[in-house]
Amino acid sequence: MWKAYLVFASLTVLSCAAAASDFVLPEAWQGEAQDSTITISYSDLDFVLDSAVLMSGPPSRKKSKASSATVSTRLKNNYNTLTTNAGNRIMFEEFKKKPEMAAVVSKIRASLESVPAEIPLNSLSKKEQIAFWLNLYNVVVIDEINKIYPKKDLEDFVTGKDGLLTRKLVNAGGVQLSLNDIQYGVLQQKYPDDVLVIYGLYQGYIGSPSIRKYAYTGANLNRSLQFNANDFINTNRGTYPNGKTFRVAGFYQRNASYFPDFATDLRSHLREYLREDEIPLLDEAQTLVADINDWTVTDIYGTSRNYGGGAATNDAALLGAFAQGETMAGSEEVANLELMASTVQAKSVTYGRFSADQVQKLKELKFNHENRGGVVTVTDLTEAEAAKKTESGQNNDKSGQ
C-alpha cells in the first residue's frame, strides 16, 4: 500500500487563497437561481477566440527535440523539451502587429465588466454564473498580456507580489477585484467542491490550463471543463510518471486550497482523468513531486527566435503543427476587423449580451433588487411570466365584480 507523500519543488508561498479570503461577496452575487432561463451571449468573444486560438491536438507525452544552433551561429533557443509542445496557443503576435485587434479584446473586457451592473448575478443559474466569471477572468488575462507582449517568461508577471493575479485589475459592476478575488473570493467561496473550475482559468503560460476556441456557457460548462482537465492531466505540463515518483504541475501546488489533504486528494482527483494505462504508475508511486513548471507565454512563434536566418530546426515543436505566416489558421477571420468591431459594439450597448425578450425582465429584476434591500425573489423567468398572468387574471376578476 502506497503512502501519501508530497514534495514541493519550490518554496512558493501558498498564500493566494488566503490573500482573497477576506473578500466579501456583494449581496447581489450571493446564491443562484437554480431554474433560471437567463443566458448571457458571448458571440463577440466566440469570434475572437475562434479566430485567435490554435488547438494543440490530442493530449500527448511526446517530448520536443532539444534546440540546436543553426549554420553560422552558436546561438539557440532555450525551452523546456518536456512541455513546450503542450497546450493551446493564442496569436499574441497578431495582436501586437495590429493594435486595433488588441483594442477589440479591451472592449470585450469592458463589456463583460459591466454585466454585474446590468443584472443581479444571483438571478442566473450556477453554471451561467461560473461561465461568466471564467470568461471575464480569461479576457482580462489576454488583455493584460497584450500590454506586455512579447515578454516570454511570465512567472514574475503572473505570480509577483504586485503581479497579474493580485492586482485589482477588474471593475465588475463597480466592485474592484483581483483575479485571485474572482477565483478564491467568488468561485471557490461559492462553489468549494467544484475543483474542475481551476481548469477554466487560463493564466497565459504553458503550465496553466488551456484557453478554449470558444467562450464558456452554462450549456457547455461541464463538458468544456472536463475536456480541459483531461488535456492538462494527460500532457507533460500537468503530470509525468517518473518511476517511484509521480511528477505533477506546480499549478496544483498553487491551487492547494482545492485539495485539503493534498497528496491524497490530488491522487484521487488525477485518477479520474489520467489515461488508464498510467493509473498503476500513479498508484505505485511513493511520492508526488510538484516540480513541473513552464512559464513561457502561450504564443505561436513570436518569442522563438530563428538565429542565423535559418528556419526553425525543431521538427517536433508546436510550429510544425500549423501553417505559418499569413496563411496561419484563423488569419482570415482575425483580419476581418470591421466585422469583429461591429460585433463587439453590439455587445457594448446596455444589456447587449441578452436577447430582446429578456431585457425587459432584466430591468424588472434590477428594479426589484434595488427596491427590496438586495433580495431577488424571481428564480425562473417562465415562472415569473406565469405569475404575472395569474395576477393579471385575478385583477380582471376583481374589476368585473
Side-chain angles (χ1 to χ4, degrees):
M1 183 70 178
W2 58 264
K3 295 182 180 179
Y5 293 104
L6 173 71
V7 175
F8 284 168
S10 69
L11 296 179
T12 303
V13 178
L14 299 176
S15 60
C16 52
S21 61
D22 293 333
F23 179 79
V24 178
L25 282 170
E27 192 168 2
W29 299 3
Q30 297 175 22
E32 61 271 332
Q34 183 176 357
D35 299 322
S36 174
T37 58
I38 302 173
T39 58
I40 300 176
S41 170
Y42 300 104
S43 58
D44 52 348
L45 181 55
D46 279 334
F47 187 87
V48 172
L49 293 177
D50 183 58
S51 301
V53 174
L54 295 181
M55 302 289 284
S56 62
S60 171
R61 294 294 188 191
K62 186 177 181 180
K63 292 184 182 180
S64 169
K65 291 182 179 179
S67 174
S68 58
T70 55
V71 177
S72 78
T73 180
R74 294 180 182 275
L75 300 177
K76 59 183 180 180
N77 288 310
N78 181 29
Y79 51 77
N80 188 327
T81 59
L82 183 69
T83 58
T84 191
N85 295 333
N88 298 343
R89 303 303 165 90
I90 295 183
M91 290 188 281
F92 286 112
E93 299 87 348
E94 297 299 314
F95 289 125
K96 185 69 174 180
K97 289 191 296 184
K98 301 186 178 79
E100 61 270 33
M101 287 175 55
V104 168
V105 176
S106 299
K107 288 181 179 179
I108 293 176
R109 171 182 176 171
S111 176
L112 288 177
E113 286 180 316
S114 70
V115 168
E118 299 177 348
I119 176 176
L121 292 181
N122 56 12
S123 63
L124 300 172
S125 68
K126 171 184 173 180
K127 289 181 180 179
E128 201 70 31
Q129 288 187 51
I130 293 176
F132 166 74
W133 288 115
L134 294 181
N135 289 329
L136 176 57
Y137 185 108
N138 294 344
V139 167
V140 170
V141 170
I142 296 170
D143 193 36
E144 292 298 317
I145 291 177
N146 279 340
K147 297 174 184 178
I148 54 94
Y149 187 81
K151 185 177 179 63
K152 179 177 181 178
D153 188 328
L154 299 187
E155 181 173 10
D156 289 340
F157 172 72
V158 172
T159 65
K161 184 178 180 180
D162 191 30
L164 176 68
L165 301 182
T166 57
R167 280 181 288 148
K168 301 287 186 179
L169 295 171
V170 185
N171 183 345
V175 179
Q176 294 296 130
L177 297 164
S178 68
L179 293 180
N180 275 345
D181 288 334
I182 291 177
Q183 179 176 0
Y184 302 105
V186 179
L187 291 172
Q188 190 176 23
Q189 185 179 153
K190 292 189 67 171
Y191 314 112
D193 299 324
D194 292 339
V195 66
L196 285 182
V197 165
I198 67 175
Y199 296 104
L201 300 170
Y202 167 71
Q203 295 180 348
Y205 58 94
I206 290 175
S208 74
S210 281
I211 188 71
R212 307 295 299 148
K213 278 185 73 69
Y214 51 80
Y216 292 99
T217 65
N220 72 33
L221 183 68
N222 288 347
R223 180 179 69 254
S224 299
L225 292 180
Q226 288 173 1
F227 186 98
N228 260 22
N230 179 73
D231 170 72
F232 188 78
I233 290 170
N234 290 289
T235 56
N236 296 339
R237 76 193 196 281
T239 66
Y240 193 72
N242 191 30
K244 292 183 179 180
T245 64
F246 196 89
R247 299 177 63 190
V248 300
F251 178 79
Y252 290 116
Q253 176 187 341
R254 293 183 289 277
N255 286 279
S257 59
Y258 287 87
F259 308 97
D261 185 352
F262 196 96
T264 300
D265 292 346
L266 182 56
R267 281 180 186 266
S268 177
H269 172 68
L270 295 177
R271 287 185 96 263
E272 293 185 49
Y273 298 94
L274 195 65
R275 46 190 282 186
E276 188 173 348
D277 62 314
E278 291 184 352
I279 291 177
L281 302 178
L282 173 64
D283 291 342
E284 294 165 8
Q286 297 176 1
T287 309
L288 298 183
V289 182
D291 70 342
I292 303 177
N293 289 291
D294 192 333
W295 296 99
T296 308
V297 65
T298 57
D299 63 357
I300 307 300
Y301 54 84
T303 55
S304 297
R305 293 183 58 186
N306 288 329
Y307 295 105
T313 58
N314 175 18
D315 60 4
L318 182 71
L319 288 180
F322 305 112
Q324 297 187 35
E326 292 304 315
T327 60
M328 186 176 294
S331 61
E332 181 179 346
E333 290 89 344
V334 171
N336 192 348
L337 296 173
E338 273 189 32
L339 176 58
M340 188 185 294
S342 64
T343 304
V344 172
Q345 183 61 37
K347 302 303 177 188
S348 300
V349 181
T350 303
Y351 296 107
R353 294 191 174 274
F354 304 93
S355 61
D357 63 328
Q358 289 181 339
V359 170
Q360 184 58 38
K361 295 182 176 68
L362 295 181
K363 290 180 178 179
E364 293 171 5
L365 283 173
K366 185 177 180 182
F367 176 82
N368 292 338
H369 170 74
E370 293 174 346
N371 290 276
R372 296 183 185 179
V375 178
V376 177
T377 57
V378 177
T379 59
D380 187 307
L381 292 179
T382 304
E383 178 183 332
E385 193 67 36
K388 279 187 179 181
K389 291 180 179 179
T390 300
E391 182 180 349
S392 175
Q394 290 175 344
N395 289 336
N396 290 336
D397 290 341
K398 290 179 180 179
S399 63
Q401 290 176 351

Short mmCIF file of all heavy atoms in Angstrom, two decimals, residues 286-346:
data_model
loop_
_atom_site.label_atom_id
_atom_site.label_comp_id
_atom_site.label_asym_id
_atom_site.label_seq_id
_atom_site.Cartn_x
_atom_site.Cartn_y
_atom_site.Cartn_z
N GLN A 286 5.54 6.37 -4.76
CA GLN A 286 5.58 6.67 -3.33
C GLN A 286 5.45 8.16 -3.06
O GLN A 286 5.05 8.56 -1.97
CB GLN A 286 6.89 6.14 -2.74
CG GLN A 286 7.04 4.63 -2.83
CD GLN A 286 8.39 4.15 -2.31
OE1 GLN A 286 9.20 4.95 -1.86
NE2 GLN A 286 8.61 2.85 -2.37
N THR A 287 5.82 8.97 -4.04
CA THR A 287 5.89 10.40 -3.81
C THR A 287 5.32 11.18 -4.98
O THR A 287 5.55 10.82 -6.14
CB THR A 287 7.35 10.85 -3.61
OG1 THR A 287 7.97 10.03 -2.63
CG2 THR A 287 7.41 12.31 -3.16
N LEU A 288 4.58 12.23 -4.69
CA LEU A 288 4.20 13.22 -5.70
C LEU A 288 5.19 14.39 -5.60
O LEU A 288 5.42 14.91 -4.51
CB LEU A 288 2.78 13.74 -5.46
CG LEU A 288 1.62 12.75 -5.54
CD1 LEU A 288 0.30 13.49 -5.35
CD2 LEU A 288 1.62 12.00 -6.85
N VAL A 289 5.77 14.76 -6.72
CA VAL A 289 6.73 15.86 -6.73
C VAL A 289 6.16 16.99 -7.57
O VAL A 289 5.96 16.85 -8.78
CB VAL A 289 8.09 15.42 -7.32
CG1 VAL A 289 9.08 16.57 -7.28
CG2 VAL A 289 8.63 14.23 -6.54
N ALA A 290 5.85 18.11 -6.95
CA ALA A 290 5.24 19.25 -7.65
C ALA A 290 6.33 20.14 -8.24
O ALA A 290 6.61 21.23 -7.75
CB ALA A 290 4.36 20.04 -6.69
N ASP A 291 6.94 19.67 -9.33
CA ASP A 291 8.08 20.39 -9.87
C ASP A 291 7.98 20.69 -11.36
O ASP A 291 8.94 21.14 -11.98
CB ASP A 291 9.38 19.61 -9.61
CG ASP A 291 9.47 18.32 -10.43
OD1 ASP A 291 8.42 17.86 -10.93
OD2 ASP A 291 10.58 17.78 -10.57
N ILE A 292 6.81 20.45 -11.98
CA ILE A 292 6.67 20.75 -13.42
C ILE A 292 6.16 22.18 -13.57
O ILE A 292 5.05 22.50 -13.14
CB ILE A 292 5.69 19.78 -14.11
CG1 ILE A 292 6.14 18.33 -13.92
CG2 ILE A 292 5.58 20.12 -15.59
CD1 ILE A 292 5.17 17.31 -14.51
N ASN A 293 6.96 23.02 -14.18
CA ASN A 293 6.57 24.40 -14.43
C ASN A 293 7.09 24.84 -15.79
O ASN A 293 8.22 24.53 -16.15
CB ASN A 293 7.14 25.34 -13.35
CG ASN A 293 6.46 25.18 -12.01
OD1 ASN A 293 5.29 25.54 -11.85
ND2 ASN A 293 7.18 24.64 -11.04
N ASP A 294 6.27 25.52 -16.54
CA ASP A 294 6.70 26.16 -17.77
C ASP A 294 5.99 27.50 -17.86
O ASP A 294 4.79 27.58 -18.11
CB ASP A 294 6.36 25.30 -18.99
CG ASP A 294 7.06 25.80 -20.26
OD1 ASP A 294 7.34 27.02 -20.33
OD2 ASP A 294 7.32 24.98 -21.16
N TRP A 295 6.75 28.57 -17.61
CA TRP A 295 6.19 29.92 -17.54
C TRP A 295 6.22 30.64 -18.88
O TRP A 295 5.96 31.84 -18.95
CB TRP A 295 6.95 30.73 -16.49
CG TRP A 295 6.80 30.18 -15.10
CD1 TRP A 295 7.68 29.40 -14.42
CD2 TRP A 295 5.68 30.38 -14.22
NE1 TRP A 295 7.19 29.09 -13.17
CE2 TRP A 295 5.97 29.67 -13.03
CE3 TRP A 295 4.47 31.06 -14.33
CZ2 TRP A 295 5.09 29.64 -11.95
CZ3 TRP A 295 3.59 31.04 -13.26
CH2 TRP A 295 3.91 30.33 -12.09
N THR A 296 6.50 29.91 -19.96
CA THR A 296 6.57 30.51 -21.28
C THR A 296 5.19 30.95 -21.75
O THR A 296 4.23 30.19 -21.65
CB THR A 296 7.15 29.51 -22.30
OG1 THR A 296 8.39 28.99 -21.80
CG2 THR A 296 7.39 30.18 -23.64
N VAL A 297 5.10 32.16 -22.27
CA VAL A 297 3.83 32.67 -22.78
C VAL A 297 3.31 31.75 -23.88
O VAL A 297 4.08 31.18 -24.65
CB VAL A 297 3.99 34.12 -23.29
CG1 VAL A 297 4.92 34.18 -24.49
CG2 VAL A 297 2.64 34.73 -23.61
N THR A 298 2.00 31.59 -23.96
CA THR A 298 1.41 30.67 -24.93
C THR A 298 1.18 31.36 -26.28
O THR A 298 0.06 31.41 -26.79
CB THR A 298 0.08 30.09 -24.41
OG1 THR A 298 -0.81 31.17 -24.12
CG2 THR A 298 0.29 29.25 -23.18
N ASP A 299 2.26 31.87 -26.86
CA ASP A 299 2.16 32.46 -28.19
C ASP A 299 2.44 31.39 -29.23
O ASP A 299 2.56 30.21 -28.91
CB ASP A 299 3.10 33.66 -28.32
CG ASP A 299 4.57 33.28 -28.17
OD1 ASP A 299 4.87 32.08 -27.92
OD2 ASP A 299 5.44 34.16 -28.31
N ILE A 300 2.55 31.79 -30.49
CA ILE A 300 2.78 30.83 -31.56
C ILE A 300 4.25 30.75 -31.93
O ILE A 300 4.88 29.72 -31.85
CB ILE A 300 1.97 31.19 -32.83
CG1 ILE A 300 0.49 31.38 -32.48
CG2 ILE A 300 2.13 30.10 -33.89
CD1 ILE A 300 -0.17 30.16 -31.89
N TYR A 301 4.83 31.89 -32.31
CA TYR A 301 6.22 31.87 -32.76
C TYR A 301 6.99 33.13 -32.38
O TYR A 301 8.20 33.18 -32.51
CB TYR A 301 6.29 31.71 -34.27
CG TYR A 301 5.49 32.75 -35.04
CD1 TYR A 301 6.00 34.00 -35.33
CD2 TYR A 301 4.19 32.46 -35.47
CE1 TYR A 301 5.25 34.95 -36.01
CE2 TYR A 301 3.44 33.39 -36.15
CZ TYR A 301 3.98 34.64 -36.43
OH TYR A 301 3.24 35.57 -37.09
N GLY A 302 6.31 34.14 -31.86
CA GLY A 302 6.94 35.44 -31.66
C GLY A 302 8.12 35.43 -30.71
O GLY A 302 9.08 36.20 -30.87
N THR A 303 8.11 34.60 -29.67
CA THR A 303 9.21 34.59 -28.72
C THR A 303 10.22 33.48 -28.99
O THR A 303 11.11 33.23 -28.21
CB THR A 303 8.69 34.43 -27.28
OG1 THR A 303 7.88 33.26 -27.21
CG2 THR A 303 7.86 35.63 -26.87
N SER A 304 10.05 32.78 -30.13
CA SER A 304 11.01 31.75 -30.51
C SER A 304 11.82 32.27 -31.69
O SER A 304 11.42 32.15 -32.85
CB SER A 304 10.29 30.45 -30.91
OG SER A 304 9.58 29.93 -29.82
N ARG A 305 12.96 32.86 -31.42
CA ARG A 305 13.76 33.49 -32.45
C ARG A 305 14.45 32.47 -33.33
O ARG A 305 14.86 31.41 -32.87
CB ARG A 305 14.82 34.40 -31.83
CG ARG A 305 14.26 35.61 -31.10
CD ARG A 305 15.39 36.47 -30.59
NE ARG A 305 16.25 36.92 -31.69
CZ ARG A 305 17.39 37.59 -31.48
NH1 ARG A 305 17.79 37.87 -30.27
NH2 ARG A 305 18.12 37.96 -32.52
N ASN A 306 14.59 32.79 -34.60
CA ASN A 306 15.36 31.97 -35.52
C ASN A 306 16.73 32.62 -35.68
O ASN A 306 16.88 33.63 -36.36
CB ASN A 306 14.67 31.89 -36.89
CG ASN A 306 13.44 31.02 -36.84
OD1 ASN A 306 13.38 30.08 -36.07
ND2 ASN A 306 12.44 31.35 -37.66
N TYR A 307 17.74 32.09 -35.02
CA TYR A 307 19.08 32.64 -35.09
C TYR A 307 19.76 32.25 -36.39
O TYR A 307 19.59 31.15 -36.89
CB TYR A 307 19.91 32.15 -33.90
CG TYR A 307 19.41 32.64 -32.57
CD1 TYR A 307 18.74 31.80 -31.70
CD2 TYR A 307 19.61 33.96 -32.18
CE1 TYR A 307 18.28 32.25 -30.48
CE2 TYR A 307 19.16 34.43 -30.96
CZ TYR A 307 18.49 33.57 -30.11
OH TYR A 307 18.04 34.02 -28.90
N GLY A 308 20.59 33.16 -36.92
CA GLY A 308 21.37 32.86 -38.11
C GLY A 308 20.57 32.89 -39.39
O GLY A 308 21.07 32.52 -40.44
N GLY A 309 19.30 33.32 -39.30
CA GLY A 309 18.49 33.47 -40.50
C GLY A 309 17.93 32.17 -41.04
O GLY A 309 17.27 32.14 -42.06
N GLY A 310 18.19 31.07 -40.35
CA GLY A 310 17.68 29.79 -40.82
C GLY A 310 16.25 29.55 -40.37
O GLY A 310 15.71 30.27 -39.54
N ALA A 311 15.65 28.53 -40.90
CA ALA A 311 14.30 28.16 -40.48
C ALA A 311 14.36 27.41 -39.17
O ALA A 311 15.41 26.96 -38.74
CB ALA A 311 13.64 27.30 -41.56
N ALA A 312 13.20 27.26 -38.52
CA ALA A 312 13.16 26.53 -37.26
C ALA A 312 13.64 25.09 -37.50
O ALA A 312 13.26 24.46 -38.47
CB ALA A 312 11.74 26.52 -36.71
N THR A 313 14.47 24.60 -36.57
CA THR A 313 15.03 23.26 -36.75
C THR A 313 14.36 22.23 -35.87
O THR A 313 14.67 21.06 -35.96
CB THR A 313 16.53 23.28 -36.40
OG1 THR A 313 16.68 23.73 -35.05
CG2 THR A 313 17.30 24.19 -37.34
N ASN A 314 13.42 22.65 -35.04
CA ASN A 314 12.78 21.72 -34.12
C ASN A 314 11.54 21.12 -34.77
O ASN A 314 10.46 21.69 -34.71
CB ASN A 314 12.41 22.46 -32.83
CG ASN A 314 11.64 21.57 -31.88
OD1 ASN A 314 11.65 20.36 -32.01
ND2 ASN A 314 10.96 22.19 -30.94
N ASP A 315 11.70 19.95 -35.41
CA ASP A 315 10.59 19.41 -36.18
C ASP A 315 9.49 18.83 -35.31
O ASP A 315 8.44 18.44 -35.80
CB ASP A 315 11.08 18.36 -37.18
CG ASP A 315 11.77 17.18 -36.50
OD1 ASP A 315 11.81 17.15 -35.25
OD2 ASP A 315 12.26 16.31 -37.21
N ALA A 316 9.71 18.75 -33.97
CA ALA A 316 8.67 18.25 -33.07
C ALA A 316 7.95 19.38 -32.38
O ALA A 316 7.02 19.16 -31.62
CB ALA A 316 9.27 17.31 -32.02
N ALA A 317 8.40 20.61 -32.63
CA ALA A 317 7.83 21.75 -31.92
C ALA A 317 6.42 22.06 -32.40
O ALA A 317 5.99 21.58 -33.45
CB ALA A 317 8.72 22.98 -32.11
N LEU A 318 5.74 22.89 -31.63
CA LEU A 318 4.35 23.22 -31.93
C LEU A 318 4.20 23.83 -33.31
O LEU A 318 3.21 23.58 -34.01
CB LEU A 318 3.82 24.18 -30.87
CG LEU A 318 2.37 24.59 -31.02
CD1 LEU A 318 1.48 23.40 -30.68
CD2 LEU A 318 2.06 25.75 -30.09
N LEU A 319 5.17 24.64 -33.74
CA LEU A 319 5.03 25.33 -35.02
C LEU A 319 4.85 24.36 -36.17
O LEU A 319 4.21 24.69 -37.17
CB LEU A 319 6.27 26.19 -35.28
CG LEU A 319 6.41 27.44 -34.42
CD1 LEU A 319 7.67 28.19 -34.78
CD2 LEU A 319 5.20 28.33 -34.59
N GLY A 320 5.40 23.18 -36.05
CA GLY A 320 5.27 22.21 -37.12
C GLY A 320 3.85 21.77 -37.36
O GLY A 320 3.53 21.22 -38.40
N ALA A 321 2.99 22.01 -36.37
CA ALA A 321 1.59 21.57 -36.48
C ALA A 321 0.73 22.58 -37.21
O ALA A 321 -0.41 22.30 -37.55
CB ALA A 321 1.02 21.33 -35.09
N PHE A 322 1.25 23.79 -37.44
CA PHE A 322 0.43 24.84 -38.03
C PHE A 322 1.11 25.44 -39.26
O PHE A 322 2.33 25.49 -39.36
CB PHE A 322 0.20 25.97 -37.02
CG PHE A 322 -0.39 25.52 -35.73
CD1 PHE A 322 0.35 25.57 -34.56
CD2 PHE A 322 -1.67 25.00 -35.67
CE1 PHE A 322 -0.19 25.15 -33.37
CE2 PHE A 322 -2.22 24.58 -34.48
CZ PHE A 322 -1.47 24.65 -33.32
N ALA A 323 0.31 25.93 -40.18
CA ALA A 323 0.86 26.73 -41.26
C ALA A 323 1.34 28.04 -40.68
O ALA A 323 0.78 28.53 -39.72
CB ALA A 323 -0.23 26.98 -42.32
N GLN A 324 2.38 28.62 -41.26
CA GLN A 324 2.95 29.83 -40.69
C GLN A 324 2.60 31.06 -41.52
O GLN A 324 2.09 30.97 -42.63
CB GLN A 324 4.47 29.69 -40.60
CG GLN A 324 4.90 28.56 -39.67
CD GLN A 324 6.40 28.56 -39.45
OE1 GLN A 324 7.02 29.60 -39.40
NE2 GLN A 324 6.97 27.38 -39.31
N GLY A 325 2.93 32.22 -40.94
CA GLY A 325 2.74 33.49 -41.63
C GLY A 325 1.29 33.83 -41.87
O GLY A 325 0.42 33.48 -41.09
N GLU A 326 1.02 34.48 -42.99
CA GLU A 326 -0.32 34.97 -43.28
C GLU A 326 -1.30 33.85 -43.59
O GLU A 326 -2.50 34.05 -43.65
CB GLU A 326 -0.27 35.95 -44.46
CG GLU A 326 0.44 37.26 -44.12
CD GLU A 326 -0.16 37.94 -42.91
OE1 GLU A 326 -1.40 38.03 -42.83
OE2 GLU A 326 0.60 38.40 -42.05
N THR A 327 -0.80 32.64 -43.85
CA THR A 327 -1.70 31.53 -44.14
C THR A 327 -2.09 30.78 -42.88
O THR A 327 -2.77 29.77 -42.95
CB THR A 327 -1.02 30.54 -45.11
OG1 THR A 327 0.17 30.03 -44.50
CG2 THR A 327 -0.68 31.21 -46.41
N MET A 328 -1.66 31.27 -41.71
CA MET A 328 -1.95 30.57 -40.46
C MET A 328 -3.45 30.47 -40.25
O MET A 328 -4.20 31.37 -40.58
CB MET A 328 -1.31 31.32 -39.29
CG MET A 328 -1.44 30.60 -37.96
SD MET A 328 -0.56 31.48 -36.69
CE MET A 328 1.13 31.30 -37.25
N ALA A 329 -3.86 29.34 -39.68
CA ALA A 329 -5.29 29.11 -39.46
C ALA A 329 -5.90 30.26 -38.67
O ALA A 329 -5.36 30.68 -37.66
CB ALA A 329 -5.48 27.80 -38.70
N GLY A 330 -7.01 30.78 -39.15
CA GLY A 330 -7.71 31.83 -38.44
C GLY A 330 -7.33 33.23 -38.88
O GLY A 330 -7.97 34.19 -38.50
N SER A 331 -6.27 33.38 -39.69
CA SER A 331 -5.80 34.72 -40.05
C SER A 331 -6.85 35.48 -40.85
O SER A 331 -6.98 36.69 -40.73
CB SER A 331 -4.49 34.64 -40.84
OG SER A 331 -4.67 33.92 -42.04
N GLU A 332 -7.60 34.78 -41.69
CA GLU A 332 -8.63 35.44 -42.49
C GLU A 332 -9.68 36.06 -41.60
O GLU A 332 -10.10 37.21 -41.79
CB GLU A 332 -9.26 34.43 -43.44
CG GLU A 332 -10.32 35.05 -44.35
CD GLU A 332 -10.90 34.03 -45.31
OE1 GLU A 332 -10.31 32.94 -45.44
OE2 GLU A 332 -11.95 34.32 -45.90
N GLU A 333 -10.11 35.30 -40.57
CA GLU A 333 -11.12 35.82 -39.66
C GLU A 333 -10.56 36.95 -38.80
O GLU A 333 -11.22 37.96 -38.57
CB GLU A 333 -11.65 34.70 -38.78
CG GLU A 333 -12.49 33.67 -39.50
CD GLU A 333 -11.63 32.54 -40.06
OE1 GLU A 333 -10.41 32.73 -40.13
OE2 GLU A 333 -12.19 31.50 -40.40
N VAL A 334 -9.33 36.76 -38.33
CA VAL A 334 -8.73 37.78 -37.48
C VAL A 334 -8.57 39.08 -38.23
O VAL A 334 -8.75 40.16 -37.67
CB VAL A 334 -7.35 37.29 -36.96
CG1 VAL A 334 -6.62 38.42 -36.26
CG2 VAL A 334 -7.55 36.15 -35.99
N ALA A 335 -8.24 39.00 -39.50
CA ALA A 335 -8.03 40.20 -40.30
C ALA A 335 -9.32 40.97 -40.54
O ALA A 335 -9.31 42.15 -40.88
CB ALA A 335 -7.38 39.84 -41.64
N ASN A 336 -10.44 40.32 -40.38
CA ASN A 336 -11.72 40.96 -40.65
C ASN A 336 -12.13 41.81 -39.44
O ASN A 336 -13.05 41.50 -38.71
CB ASN A 336 -12.79 39.90 -40.93
CG ASN A 336 -14.05 40.50 -41.50
OD1 ASN A 336 -14.22 41.72 -41.49
ND2 ASN A 336 -14.94 39.66 -41.97
N LEU A 337 -11.41 42.90 -39.26
CA LEU A 337 -11.59 43.72 -38.06
C LEU A 337 -12.92 44.46 -38.05
O LEU A 337 -13.49 44.72 -37.00
CB LEU A 337 -10.45 44.73 -37.95
CG LEU A 337 -9.06 44.10 -37.75
CD1 LEU A 337 -7.99 45.18 -37.83
CD2 LEU A 337 -9.01 43.40 -36.41
N GLU A 338 -13.43 44.79 -39.22
CA GLU A 338 -14.70 45.52 -39.27
C GLU A 338 -15.82 44.68 -38.67
O GLU A 338 -16.60 45.16 -37.85
CB GLU A 338 -15.05 45.88 -40.73
CG GLU A 338 -14.43 47.18 -41.18
CD GLU A 338 -14.97 47.59 -42.54
OE1 GLU A 338 -16.15 47.29 -42.83
OE2 GLU A 338 -14.22 48.21 -43.29
N LEU A 339 -15.88 43.42 -39.07
CA LEU A 339 -16.91 42.53 -38.55
C LEU A 339 -16.72 42.33 -37.05
O LEU A 339 -17.68 42.38 -36.28
CB LEU A 339 -16.86 41.18 -39.28
CG LEU A 339 -17.84 40.11 -38.77
CD1 LEU A 339 -19.27 40.62 -38.85
CD2 LEU A 339 -17.69 38.83 -39.58
N MET A 340 -15.48 42.12 -36.64
CA MET A 340 -15.22 41.91 -35.23
C MET A 340 -15.62 43.15 -34.41
O MET A 340 -16.27 43.05 -33.37
CB MET A 340 -13.74 41.61 -35.00
CG MET A 340 -13.40 41.19 -33.57
SD MET A 340 -11.62 40.98 -33.32
CE MET A 340 -11.28 39.60 -34.38
N ALA A 341 -15.24 44.32 -34.90
CA ALA A 341 -15.54 45.55 -34.18
C ALA A 341 -17.04 45.79 -34.08
O ALA A 341 -17.55 46.20 -33.04
CB ALA A 341 -14.87 46.74 -34.87
N SER A 342 -17.77 45.51 -35.16
CA SER A 342 -19.22 45.73 -35.12
C SER A 342 -19.90 44.75 -34.18
O SER A 342 -20.87 45.09 -33.51
CB SER A 342 -19.81 45.59 -36.53
OG SER A 342 -19.64 44.27 -37.02
N THR A 343 -19.36 43.52 -34.13
CA THR A 343 -19.91 42.52 -33.21
C THR A 343 -19.72 42.96 -31.77
O THR A 343 -20.61 42.87 -30.93
CB THR A 343 -19.23 41.15 -33.42
OG1 THR A 343 -19.38 40.78 -34.78
CG2 THR A 343 -19.86 40.09 -32.54
N VAL A 344 -18.51 43.46 -31.48
CA VAL A 344 -18.22 43.93 -30.13
C VAL A 344 -19.08 45.13 -29.78
O VAL A 344 -19.61 45.25 -28.68
CB VAL A 344 -16.73 44.29 -29.99
CG1 VAL A 344 -16.45 44.96 -28.65
CG2 VAL A 344 -15.88 43.04 -30.12
N GLN A 345 -19.23 46.06 -30.74
CA GLN A 345 -20.01 47.27 -30.48
C GLN A 345 -21.44 46.91 -30.11
O GLN A 345 -22.05 47.52 -29.24
CB GLN A 345 -20.01 48.17 -31.72
CG GLN A 345 -20.74 49.50 -31.53
CD GLN A 345 -20.11 50.34 -30.43
OE1 GLN A 345 -18.91 50.35 -30.26
NE2 GLN A 345 -20.94 51.03 -29.67
N ALA A 346 -21.98 45.88 -30.75
CA ALA A 346 -23.35 45.46 -30.45
C ALA A 346 -23.48 44.99 -29.01
O ALA A 346 -24.53 45.12 -28.39
CB ALA A 346 -23.77 44.34 -31.40
#
